[in-house]
Amino acid sequence: MVLVADLNFSLPFSNPVLIFASILFIILFAPILLNRIKIPQLIGLIIAGAIIGQNGMNLLERDSSVILFGTVGLLYIMFLAGLEIDMADFKKNKNKSIVFGLLTFSIPMILGIISGIYILGFGVLTSVLLASMFASHTLIAYPILSKMGVVKNKAVNIAVGGTVITDTLALLILAVIVAMSSGELTNDFWIRMGISILIFALTVIFGFPILGRWFFKRNEDNISQYIFVLAMVFLGAFLAEAAGIEAIIGAFLAGLALNKLIPLTSPLMNRIEFVGNALFIPFFLIGVGMLIDFRVFFSDIETIFVAAIMTLVATISKFLAAWITQKTYKFSAAQRDVIFGLSNAQAAATLAAILVGYNVILGVNEAGEPIRLLGESILNGTILMILVTCTIASFVAQRGASKLVLEENEESGEVEKEISGERILIPINYPDNIEELIHLGVTIKAKSAKNSLLALNIVPSDSEDETKEKYAKKLLNKASISAAATDNILTELIRYDSNVVNGITNVIKENKVSDIILGLHKKQEISDSFLGELTEGILRRSNVTALIYHSNQPLNTINRYIIVIPRNAEKEMGFAFWLLRVWNIGRNTGAKLVFYGSNDTLKYIQQVQLKFSLEAEFIDFEDWADFLIISRDLKADDALVVIMSRTNGVSFDPTMDKLPKYLNKYFNKNNYILLYPMQFDFDGKGYTKYGGTSLLNPLLEGVNNLENFGETVGRLFKKK
């Protein structure tokens, strides 16, 4: 038994339980207290770290545990940046990222070298290393943008891409200078570094996706998947260090490599963000704060002068890079603020450079003291620069993100009201496919609609067996847990009816359902009778968008979606709405969409693609009699989406009646979705429960006007 008298309360705390509890309370209360005076959470944690650290109240020591968790937090920020980036937009704007990366590297380098030589009076080697510190930056404001939901913005993608370029170049300069100072800068050095970096990049970019897809196919356990992701992050970071560059580059590339395997709407993504934002990233910020020594402000004039010059040069040069990028690509002031906020904070790479430079001894002076490449004044000045630049970056990034949110809401506020009636019904029958059905529902729905999912189980009304009702509740509870893991609320529905079709159609009417997802058991083949019963029953008696889903592997492991579209599909009333569902699959999973259809139909889809960065391909395919040709193009990790039609629909093709046989024989090893578009209401009028007549009418008119269709559907997709 441990008595109070036996506990050690001396400063700094040495009890591990007390240390961890203290940090948790800081993470909990520091942001709350400082938010009241409009200080961003990130700055609140840095200030709290300075107060409790060895240079403040000396409550906690910046020991190995703080450094360890802080390193995890830093790698987590870079990993999330690579994981959340819109890959289609990233590819589309890669040239802009390169331009910004070169600007945000070259401008600080030029100004840094000039100020180091002519203002601070340093040597050329010291000035170059100092300038490389200005050129690098840390995405310390990225969590702010992530919480505000603007990480998909073009400006964020460009800034993140530019970060990798400038940090890589800055850290390469650091390696070269260290090699020069130690006399190791030989031809062997360049050959060794070039080969090691190439091997590292190829291993992460091509090897990690293969390994990740293999693992996710064979392991559905949530904990195992999360541990696997963490292991890949640190493996990428270690491989980067082994190649002679900083670990943050490896973490970012690991995020890019796993980007398509961890969709934004998946439970795994929710867990990754939660753990990082709750624990690891705050640890990193507190650890940065512990480095700050406020006493330097009052004790050393030289340090203050050096810190002021360093901060001014770093801030002005980063702003110039963001301003030139804004003017070059005609960005808004809010987008410029976001780019500047992301690129101004000096932390991780800067700390690496200053510590390496400080430890490089060039010789000794007359007093026998070591002459360092970067002296004490630069070391202390760097710490103050980190505090100021992180503060500026957080405030500016938060201001820019707030403006971007308002701009996006103004653009799509009216549409959001019109599409607020989204309701997706998922009948639940088998425990094996519940998670995949919920995952598909989350993938196709609007991101802002957190409570649009409904799960249904039909209990025979003539049955007196209570176990069936208990089993139904158990299935629905499992569905609710799966939805909650993605931060969505699911409504559980139990229907007592002797006829399954009647039960489902009545629920559709009563709850004004817009979409229904019908799942096939993993071992069940789709039969003529099954499809016939649905056609005669649910599909004929309801006018909603219907998806019949067969799952053979997890959604996140799908590489491409092959979408086969019948002739005249654009003339169906539900054309734009099923296109929205397919579009959301591509955007939320990162998978490539390959559309097979007639030229007339593909033109409308291409009009929408012009307005959004989505990886898509269009292939002319008009004769459904040759449907089996599709099987030659379908690979192991591809999924098939077939756009169907009711028999009285304008896009109906007789080949659709043969699809059950085709799917069972040639496509059963792949995921597939049979998608039936929304139809007219029972009285023959347009369907107005979902979309509203103000949005539906221009959509119908748009089939005669390509540009109008693209603009109207673009408005619909904007908020989605």
Side-chain angles (χ1 to χ4, degrees):
M1 179 178 179
V2 179
L3 301 176
V4 175
D6 297 328
L7 296 176
N8 184 5
F9 291 100
S10 61
L11 300 181
F13 296 146
S14 58
N15 186 305
V17 177
L18 186 58
I19 292 173
F20 199 76
S22 301
I23 292 178
L24 291 180
F25 277 111
I26 292 168
I27 295 173
L28 178 63
F29 289 112
I32 297 175
L33 296 175
L34 293 172
N35 276 342
R36 294 183 178 179
I37 53 177
K38 305 300 181 182
I39 294 179
Q41 177 179 347
L42 302 183
I43 298 304
L45 291 171
I46 292 175
I47 293 174
I51 293 173
I52 66 167
Q54 59 269 30
N55 298 317
M57 298 173 63
N58 197 29
L59 296 179
L60 300 177
E61 185 180 3
R62 194 173 187 273
D63 56 13
S64 58
S65 62
V66 175
I67 295 173
L68 173 62
F69 277 93
T71 302
V72 176
L74 172 59
L75 297 179
Y76 226 97
I77 292 175
M78 296 301 297
F79 174 67
L80 282 176
L83 198 61
E84 294 182 341
I85 198 169
D86 189 323
M87 289 301 294
D89 197 46
F90 183 69
K91 292 177 181 178
K92 182 179 179 180
N93 297 294
K94 61 183 179 182
N95 292 334
K96 296 176 183 177
S97 293
I98 293 172
V99 170
F100 171 68
L102 294 177
L103 284 173
T104 199
F105 171 77
S106 59
I107 295 176
M109 284 297 298
I110 294 170
L111 295 182
I113 293 173
I114 293 173
S115 62
I117 295 174
Y118 296 104
I119 298 178
L120 297 176
F122 296 146
V124 174
L125 206 60
T126 300
S127 298
V128 172
L129 182 55
L130 187 67
S132 71
M133 291 163 51
F134 302 154
S136 65
H137 58 255
T138 303
L139 297 174
I140 205 166
Y142 188 85
I144 295 177
L145 306 182
S146 181
K147 288 183 179 180
M148 300 185 75
V150 296
V151 292
K152 290 288 187 179
N153 190 276
K154 184 187 301 183
V156 179
N157 272 329
I158 289 173
V160 171
T163 298
V164 179
I165 294 171
T166 188
D167 279 4
T168 302
L169 293 175
L171 293 169
L172 285 176
I173 287 179
L174 172 63
V176 170
I177 290 178
V178 171
M180 288 177 62
S181 62
S182 59
E184 297 178 358
L185 193 63
T186 62
N187 291 334
D188 290 341
F189 169 83
W190 294 108
I191 295 173
R192 186 170 60 253
M193 174 169 282
I195 294 176
S196 60
I197 291 176
L198 180 63
I199 294 174
F200 151 71
L202 292 176
T203 301
V204 175
I205 294 174
F206 296 104
F208 278 29
I210 296 173
L211 184 59
R213 184 170 280 108
W214 174 85
F215 184 87
F216 289 136
K217 281 184 178 181
R218 289 160 177 78
N219 294 273
E220 297 182 0
D221 180 67
N222 297 325
I223 297 176
S224 297
Q225 290 185 351
Y226 180 76
I227 298 300
F228 170 78
V229 170
L230 273 187
M232 297 304 287
V233 175
F234 282 91
L235 177 59
F238 170 75
L239 292 176
E241 289 186 333
I245 56 179
E246 281 297 310
I248 55 176
I249 306 299
F252 178 80
L253 282 186
L256 285 182
L258 299 177
N259 184 286
K260 291 186 177 182
L261 295 174
I262 308 176
L264 294 176
T265 56
S266 65
L268 179 57
M269 186 65 181
N270 192 41
R271 295 184 185 95
I272 291 172
E273 289 183 329
F274 175 79
V275 175
N277 291 325
L279 190 62
F280 294 136
I281 295 175
F283 251 100
F284 165 67
L285 298 172
I286 292 173
V288 171
M290 287 182 174
L291 294 170
I292 297 170
D293 187 357
F294 292 110
R295 292 171 295 185
V296 176
F297 283 112
F298 310 102
S299 61
D300 191 344
I301 300 298
E302 182 184 357
T303 296
I304 295 175
F305 176 71
V306 172
I309 297 299
M310 291 173 65
T311 304
L312 281 173
V313 173
T315 302
I316 291 172
S317 59
K318 291 295 184 180
F319 179 80
L320 284 175
W323 180 79
I324 294 174
T325 303
Q326 176 205 0
K327 296 301 180 182
T328 302
Y329 300 115
K330 299 179 180 179
F331 289 161
S332 66
Q335 289 175 308
R336 180 202 62 211
D337 286 346
V338 166
I339 294 174
F340 173 60
L342 283 172
S343 61
N344 186 51
Q346 308 287 323
T350 305
L351 282 173
I354 185 61
L355 293 176
V356 170
Y358 182 76
N359 291 325
V360 173
I361 308 297
L362 301 177
V364 293
N365 57 20
E366 296 178 355
E369 298 173 341
I371 301 175
R372 302 180 184 275
L373 183 59
L374 297 178
E376 289 279 354
S377 60
I378 301 179
L379 176 63
N380 293 326
T382 300
I383 302 302
L384 296 181
M385 180 184 69
I386 289 173
L387 173 62
V388 176
T389 56
C390 288
T391 302
I392 295 173
S394 298
F395 277 106
V396 174
Q398 183 167 288
R399 182 183 66 187
S402 300
K403 291 179 181 178
L404 283 181
V405 170
L406 291 175
E407 289 174 3
E408 292 179 358
N409 287 342
E410 288 174 2
E411 287 180 9
S412 52
E414 181 181 346
V415 176
E416 180 69 8
K417 295 178 182 178
E418 292 171 341
I419 64 176
S420 60
E422 176 182 88
R423 307 276 281 175
I424 300 174
L425 178 66
I426 307 174
I428 300 295
N429 296 307
Y430 309 109
D432 294 342
N433 65 354
I434 287 178
E435 289 190 6
E436 279 297 295
L437 289 176
I438 298 300
H439 193 180
L440 178 61
V442 171
T443 302
I444 68 171
K445 76 176 189 64
K447 185 178 180 181
S448 58
K450 294 292 185 182
N451 58 349
S452 61
L453 298 179
L454 301 91
L456 168 68
N457 186 271
I458 304 294
V459 177
S461 57
D462 55 356
S463 174
E464 297 181 358
D465 188 356
E466 295 183 358
T467 58
K468 292 186 177 181
E469 182 178 349
K470 292 180 179 179
Y471 183 68
K473 291 181 179 179
K474 183 178 180 180
L475 292 179
L476 294 174
N477 182 59
K478 183 177 180 179
S480 293
I481 294 173
S482 298
T486 62
D487 198 24
N488 284 276
I489 301 172
L490 180 138
T491 302
E492 299 180 16
L493 300 173
I494 293 181
R495 185 82 179 188
Y496 299 91
D497 203 308
S498 57
N499 186 287
V500 174
V501 172
N502 287 339
I504 293 176
T505 53
N506 287 332
V507 168
I508 289 174
K509 297 173 188 176
E510 293 166 5
N511 293 274
K512 298 181 179 180
V513 169
S514 60
D515 305 77
I516 182 171
I517 299 176
L518 300 165
L520 295 173
H521 192 276
K522 290 187 177 182
K523 297 181 180 179
Q524 175 183 335
E525 294 184 341
I526 186 168
S527 62
D528 294 323
S529 60
F530 176 81
L531 194 56
E533 182 182 349
L534 286 174
T535 304
E536 295 299 325
I538 298 172
L539 299 179
R540 283 189 177 276
R541 295 170 58 182
S542 64
N543 53 358
V544 298
T545 303
L547 295 86
I548 302 173
Y549 179 46
H550 171 266
S551 172
N552 194 58
Q553 66 184 74
L555 270 174
N556 61 311
T557 63
I558 299 299
N559 190 42
R560 296 189 308 168
Y561 283 86
I562 308 297
I563 302 104
V564 187
I565 311 168
R567 180 187 290 274
N568 297 322
E570 74 278 7
K571 297 178 182 178
E572 295 272 7
M573 194 207 73
F575 175 60
F577 295 100
W578 72 251
L579 183 58
L580 170 63
R581 298 309 183 201
V582 173
W583 213 263
N584 279 344
I585 290 175
R587 290 202 297 180
N588 291 328
T589 65
K592 182 179 181 179
L593 303 181
V594 183
F595 293 93
Y596 285 73
S598 65
N599 283 326
D600 292 339
T601 304
L602 295 180
K603 286 178 182 177
Y604 292 97
I605 303 175
Q606 288 170 329
Q607 282 296 314
V608 180
Q609 197 222 2
L610 291 175
K611 304 180 182 303
F612 298 93
S613 299
L614 187 69
E615 190 175 2
E617 183 180 350
F618 302 91
I619 298 175
D620 184 21
F621 180 77
E622 302 202 19
D623 190 358
W624 270 48
D626 295 329
F627 189 89
L628 292 180
I629 292 177
I630 304 296
S631 63
R632 297 187 308 190
D633 299 334
L634 204 67
K635 299 178 182 178
D637 293 320
D638 292 344
L640 179 68
V641 180
V642 184
I643 309 304
M644 304 288 284
S645 176
R646 276 80 164 177
T647 53
N648 60 344
V650 295
S651 64
F652 178 78
D653 189 286
T655 306
M656 293 178 183
D657 293 332
K658 303 177 183 178
L659 276 182
K661 294 180 181 178
Y662 290 166
L663 293 173
N664 292 336
K665 187 173 183 179
Y666 300 102
F667 303 97
N668 200 39
K669 293 183 179 180
N670 295 86
N671 285 17
Y672 61 76
I673 299 173
L674 298 181
L675 198 156
Y676 288 82
M678 175 193 302
Q679 289 290 332
F680 283 91
D681 212 336
F682 307 118
D683 57 3
K685 297 180 181 179
Y687 185 87
T688 58
K689 295 186 182 70
Y690 177 63
T693 54
S694 60
L695 185 61
L696 182 59
N697 289 339
L699 282 176
L700 296 176
E701 295 169 2
V703 296
N704 295 317
N705 186 326
L706 282 175
E707 185 60 29
N708 180 50
F709 182 83
E711 290 289 344
T712 308
V713 177
R715 289 177 57 241
L716 175 66
F717 287 10
K718 190 71 176 178
K719 193 65 179 179
K720 295 288 194 170

